Amino acid sequence: MGRTVRVKSFELAARDINDVDVKLLHALSIAVGWPHRPKDWDFLRRAGQGIVAVDGIGRVFGSAMWFPHGREFATVGLVITSPRTQAQGTGRWLMKQVFERCGERNLSLNSTDAAYHLYLSLGFRKEAVVYQWQGEVVSPLPPVPVLDGELTSLAAENVEEIAALDERAFGTSRQRLLALLSEGASICVLRRGGEIAGYSMKREFGRGHVIGPIVASNDRDAIHLTAVHLKDLVGRFARVDTREQTGPFADFLQQSRLGMNDTVTTMSKGRRFLNRKEGEPWVYGLAGHALS
Ligand SMILES: CC(C)(COP(=O)(O)OP(=O)(O)OC[C@H]1O[C@@H](n2cnc3c(N)ncnc32)[C@H](O)[C@@H]1OP(=O)(O)O)[C@@H](O)C(=O)NCCC(=O)NCCS
């Protein structure tokens, strides 16, 4: 008998991501070292659309998802090729399938280092770096500045109260996503002068909790909207994804003794995605890499 065997190449076809067992998606994300639980995949499948690359006997070798907001914009994420079939064109093919299904929409995504050149070659342009802070929350938390306004909790059924503020920060209305995110989330709202000046959510994800989205008009408000959730998470695992590199909010995260685990790069194709204006609401904490 020969000492080697030549394995036939796989022929992969695109299927709707809802047609496969969540266990196969979970196995795919585990294979690339991502923390998603089956529950997280279920949530993402409710929030967006996607495809998987499957072979003739239903094995999943790749995935890609997109999260449309209105007719003109979508975020892209969960682009994964199984390690044993990487560097053979599946990633590029998955992205072309996404382009076909997203039509003329402007797109944005948060790219890992592994995917950066692929996205560049597909016409995406770099906009910002996202810093992923995570770890066990340790007491005491760093000091916070004086609070300007009042922090209150918001019930999920009233999530539409934050939709207008969120749209100003995110650049596009994402009301349906906010409603889904709010299910099971703890939502904190900052009220000032009778108006909502910021909000933040704490949600279960991956190894623990994500604090995000965090929307505020200045670092001081963002610190309060983050600290309020961190206080509840002492001794537990928390994660915050932010585009703040310097300034009081970035300093606060650094002093909180969470670790800076990784960075990804926000990229866009078509219209520029990020549009920060002085004093205007801004997304200080992302809902997630795929959701932005
Ligand atoms: C990023 C990823 C999806 C790419 O998938 P893939 O199936 O390997 O992609 P392709 O084979 O289509 O390769 C795309 C390009 O990247 C290059 N590439 C792929 N793997 C590479 C590697 N290990 N080193 C250097 N270049 C590589 C290829 O040369 C190709 O460029 P080319 O078409 O000009 O030759 C895959 O590496 C992956 O799943 N990584 C882990 C999860 C991840 O980071 N996903 C991205 C989320 S934003």
Side-chain angles (χ1 to χ4, degrees):
M1 187 183 301
R3 296 181 70 90
T4 60
V5 59
R6 180 178 288 274
V7 180
K8 256 176 99 179
S9 57
F10 303 97
E11 180 142 342
L12 304 177
R15 296 266 179 284
D16 191 301
I17 201 162
N18 291 306
D19 292 348
V20 296
D21 193 315
V22 72
K23 285 191 205 125
L24 300 175
L25 301 172
H26 186 222
L28 188 65
S29 52
I30 294 236
V32 295
W34 286 6
H36 300 65
R37 306 162 303 166
K39 268 185 185 177
D40 299 320
W41 274 105
D42 281 337
F43 172 81
L44 290 160
R45 290 200 290 187
R46 284 174 69 209
Q49 298 170 40
I51 50 166
V52 280
V54 294
D55 73 355
I57 56 169
R59 291 178 296 183
V60 173
F61 288 90
S63 65
M65 293 197 73
W66 60 99
F67 302 85
H69 300 293
R71 286 163 178 268
E72 291 187 2
F73 179 68
T75 62
V76 173
L78 288 308
V79 180
I80 304 174
T81 300
S82 163
R84 62 181 157 144
T85 51
Q86 281 176 10
Q88 294 178 55
T90 312
R92 187 175 295 279
W93 176 78
L94 281 165
M95 284 305 293
K96 296 228 165 116
Q97 299 285 322
V98 170
F99 291 161
E100 223 175 86
R101 287 161 175 80
C102 285
E104 295 298 301
R105 279 195 168 84
N106 298 295
L107 301 175
S108 176
L109 53 76
N110 293 300
S111 173
T112 58
D113 287 348
Y116 185 72
H117 289 286
L118 169 64
Y119 296 142
L120 265 188
S121 73
L122 289 168
F124 283 86
R125 293 292 161 255
K126 176 179 174 172
E127 291 204 16
V129 174
V130 176
Y131 302 87
Q132 181 187 332
W133 293 92
Q134 64 179 39
E136 191 179 305
V137 182
V138 187
S139 179
L141 291 170
V144 293
V146 176
L147 175 66
D148 181 11
E150 191 197 353
L151 292 172
T152 54
S153 61
L154 185 78
E157 68 250 34
N158 296 328
V159 70
E160 76 282 352
E161 289 185 29
I162 58 175
L165 180 84
D166 184 80
E167 181 173 347
R168 280 163 65 200
F170 188 71
T172 305
S173 167
R174 53 173 177 172
Q175 226 161 326
R176 182 174 168 273
L177 177 65
L178 288 180
L180 287 173
L181 289 169
S182 70
E183 290 174 9
S186 155
I187 312 173
C188 180
V189 166
L190 174 66
R191 294 179 195 273
R192 186 160 51 225
E195 292 196 352
I196 294 182
Y199 82 87
S200 58
M201 291 193 194
K202 179 187 77 176
R203 304 153 25 232
E204 274 187 23
F205 170 80
R207 295 171 61 185
H209 283 84
V210 163
I211 304 177
I214 305 163
V215 167
S217 299
N218 60 54
D219 283 43
R220 185 187 52 192
D221 292 351
I223 289 171
H224 280 285
L225 287 161
T226 306
V228 72
H229 295 302
L230 285 175
K231 272 186 216 144
D232 281 348
L233 290 172
V234 170
R236 292 152 82 190
F237 186 90
R239 169 172 167 175
V240 179
D241 293 283
T242 185
R243 298 189 181 95
E244 302 311 288
Q245 185 185 9
T246 55
F249 183 72
D251 292 347
F252 171 79
L253 290 176
Q254 192 140 27
Q255 290 157 14
S256 72
R257 289 179 278 167
L258 295 176
M260 221 274 278
N261 182 54
D262 202 3
T263 59
V264 288
T265 306
T266 301
M267 305 179 85
S268 59
K269 182 173 162 73
R271 192 194 66 196
R272 195 181 152 78
F273 169 52
L274 299 173
N275 187 18
R276 189 175 202 168
K277 293 192 198 108
E278 181 71 26
E280 276 290 300
W282 173 245
V283 177
Y284 276 87
L286 276 59
H289 281 179
L291 305 171
S292 239

